[in-house]
Amino acid sequence: MTITDIQIAKDTYWVGKIDDREVPFHRLILTKGTTYNSYLLKTGKPTVIDTVDMEFGREYAERVAELIDPLDIAYIVINHTEPDHSGGLAALAMKATNATMVCTEIAVPELQEMYKLHGRNFLAVKDGDTLDIGGKTLLFKETPYLHTAETMITYCVEDQILYPCDIFSTHVAVDKLFSDEAGFDITEDFKGYYSAIIHPHRRYVRTLMEAVKDLEIAMIAPSHGFLIRRDVRKYIDLYAELSRETTQGKKAAIVYTTLKNNTKKMAGILQSTLQENGIEAEVWDADKHELSVILDSIAAADAVFIGSSTRYADMIGNLEPLLKELQHMDLEGKLAAAFGSYGWSGEAIEVIQDYLNGTNMTVQSTSDVIKTTGMTHVEFPIRVRFSPKEAEKTQKIKNAAEFVSDLLLSAI
């Protein structure tokens, strides 16, 4: 398959890279390799949509130049800044010096820093914005956290082609570009990609479903693997099915001690957020309820939140006896998280984290969240300085509760 042979629609060309090695990716080994899909729309204002992995940047820029003079490129659309999609931008931008980079507002500083593009033109687009590229119209929809905050999808109105970057992808070094020519059913590869990359962000699939519900989609042209032009609705519906909440009856126990009611307020925000997400949540003040009653609630719970205010670098009230009892209980399979408010350095929260790590519960940590999902807006332990009333602090607590809710309600 040569570069000049791959035309996916009128004036639209695949200019990607097939990587048939065993590829290290997100601490996985892609045994079937992968495909980095990039697209060139040779319209009145020629446009590139996404690039390839940075390892192949020079080769990629040379390949694009076989089809068009890079100086004629008007726009380079970057749906997602991760280097397996934006990595070819540096090499291409060096040649396409007249091009304007198109991305979400959040992505602008990321691309500027990653590829030293501070002096270049950027067009930051918002949800619902359109761009006339001379004979074709691009519609942009923001899809944050699928799978990072700056992600968007691009839709070509005239061609009815959706360019969703990581979404609807497969990790396969393709022999044939289109799924209907693959010679096998790609469904398991499609589901496998969803499970590994998208499912940790399944809450945000709702945003995707809303974004595409009114679009007439004749083809899905993702940034990895097969392009889909047959049974398109089947694959969209699969995302809706795989991301649905099918687990019912999950419970959480929230236990706290508080100095000036700030940690109590945190417990209330955790409870309301969990309940909004279908999790039954009981809240216990360890200084006002019997230890045995609280332990029974924890034993019956699927998730456990333990919190304290900090005073003189330590926990307050009757929390420590409870934490010591947890060391002797079989709590396997439960999720756990520490939380608390503080005025100085918040040592109590870290002491609770240490106690929880001494149980056989699955204790949430920022490190594990980043390593498993790439999310940076979810933090554990949940630490709030002084009152949680400010919107940013309240959102931090909600983010953590929503993350735990998603783990409990996962259909996979």
Side-chain angles (χ1 to χ4, degrees):
M1 198 162 31
T2 65
I3 194 68
T4 54
D5 291 335
I6 311 174
Q7 185 171 355
I8 68 168
K10 184 178 184 295
D11 300 323
T12 302
Y13 299 84
W14 179 88
V15 288
K17 170 68 178 179
I18 297 170
D19 190 353
D20 59 3
R21 305 169 299 169
E22 291 191 348
V23 182
F25 188 82
H26 285 232
R27 295 190 63 81
L28 303 171
I29 298 296
L30 306 179
T31 58
K32 293 185 177 182
T34 194
T35 307
Y36 306 109
N37 296 332
S38 175
Y39 307 94
L40 170 64
L41 284 62
K42 295 182 68 176
T43 56
K45 300 175 183 177
T47 299
V48 171
I49 300 179
D50 292 319
T51 67
V52 301
D53 187 84
M54 60 195 314
E55 183 175 349
F56 307 105
R58 180 179 296 181
E59 173 188 340
Y60 166 73
E62 292 172 352
R63 186 172 291 181
V64 172
E66 294 177 13
L67 281 181
I68 190 172
D69 183 344
L71 293 175
D72 292 336
I73 296 174
Y75 299 107
I76 303 173
V77 176
I78 300 295
N79 285 314
H80 169 39
T81 62
E82 198 169 14
D84 57 320
H85 309 295
S86 68
L89 178 59
L92 182 60
M94 286 181 64
K95 295 177 178 290
T97 54
N98 297 319
T100 294
M101 318 307 157
V102 182
C103 58
T104 59
E105 186 174 359
I106 300 175
V108 172
E110 294 182 4
L111 294 172
Q112 288 175 330
E113 290 295 331
M114 289 168 68
Y115 304 117
K116 309 302 180 188
L117 297 173
H118 297 85
R120 298 298 295 269
N121 291 329
F122 278 81
L123 173 62
V125 293
K126 297 181 175 62
D127 192 77
D129 283 355
T130 59
L131 179 64
D132 180 355
I133 60 171
K136 296 189 182 188
T137 308
L138 300 182
L139 168 68
F140 305 101
K141 294 278 191 174
E142 294 183 72
T143 51
Y145 301 111
L146 290 177
H147 60 105
T148 48
E150 86 297 339
T151 306
M152 68 178 186
I153 59 178
T154 300
Y155 174 73
C156 181
V157 176
E158 290 77 12
D159 295 334
Q160 297 183 340
I161 297 178
L162 181 68
Y163 299 95
C165 203
D166 270 326
I167 304 165
F168 304 126
S169 284
T170 49
H171 271 315
V172 179
V174 302
D175 291 324
K176 300 291 186 180
L177 199 56
F178 293 100
S179 60
D180 55 284
E181 297 177 347
F184 63 93
D185 187 347
I186 72 161
T187 302
E188 289 309 309
D189 290 301
F190 185 86
K191 288 180 176 180
Y193 186 99
Y194 170 88
S195 299
I197 305 300
I198 301 297
H199 192 65
H201 312 268
R202 68 183 184 83
R203 165 181 302 275
Y204 304 99
V205 174
R206 302 170 196 167
T207 306
L208 171 67
M209 293 297 109
E210 182 67 22
V212 302
K213 71 176 184 179
D214 295 325
L215 300 181
E216 293 291 332
I217 301 174
M219 183 190 302
I220 299 174
S223 287
H224 287 299
F226 292 104
L227 280 65
I228 299 170
R229 61 185 178 184
R230 299 283 186 272
D231 300 321
V232 170
R233 180 51 56 179
K234 164 190 170 182
Y235 292 98
I236 295 174
D237 290 346
L238 262 177
Y239 262 52
E241 177 186 341
L242 292 168
S243 65
R244 76 188 190 283
E245 296 174 357
T246 60
T247 306
Q248 302 296 323
K250 294 294 184 178
K251 298 180 180 180
I254 304 167
V255 186
Y256 71 92
T257 52
T258 192
L259 191 62
K260 294 186 176 180
N261 286 330
N262 289 328
T263 302
K264 177 181 179 180
K265 292 172 184 174
M266 292 182 69
I269 296 169
L270 287 170
Q271 181 186 37
S272 61
T273 305
L274 290 164
Q275 290 177 339
E276 287 168 5
N277 285 273
I279 310 296
E280 180 184 338
E282 295 181 323
V283 178
W284 306 97
D285 184 335
D287 290 335
K288 295 181 178 180
H289 294 90
E290 292 291 332
L291 176 60
S292 60
V293 174
I294 298 174
L295 291 175
D296 286 345
S297 177
I298 289 173
D302 301 286
V304 179
F305 294 82
I306 309 288
S308 174
S309 304
T310 297
R311 184 182 184 188
Y312 300 136
D314 204 353
M315 300 176 293
I316 63 169
N318 296 326
L319 204 56
E320 193 151 23
L322 180 143
L323 289 166
K324 288 181 177 179
E325 284 294 323
L326 297 185
Q327 313 296 302
H328 307 295
M329 297 173 63
D330 182 5
L331 304 171
E332 187 174 4
K334 301 181 189 299
L335 306 180
F339 70 96
S341 65
Y342 64 98
W344 300 104
S345 47
E347 292 87 348
I349 307 161
E350 304 305 322
V351 173
I352 295 170
Q353 184 84 349
D354 290 341
Y355 267 112
L356 293 177
N357 284 330
T359 72
N360 61 349
M361 290 189 283
T362 301
V363 183
Q364 303 304 299
S365 72
T366 299
S367 174
D368 287 339
V369 172
I370 291 173
K371 287 184 288 190
T372 56
T373 72
M375 292 182 182
T376 57
H377 70 295
V378 178
E379 299 177 10
F380 293 103
I382 313 163
R383 301 168 54 88
V384 169
R385 193 174 186 194
F386 300 118
S387 171
K389 287 184 178 180
E390 292 91 339
E392 183 177 349
K393 295 176 182 178
T394 299
Q395 191 59 52
K396 176 190 286 191
I397 301 165
K398 289 183 176 181
N399 289 344
E402 289 173 350
F403 183 83
V404 171
S405 298
D406 285 347
L407 291 178
L408 293 178
L409 297 174
S410 173
I412 293 180

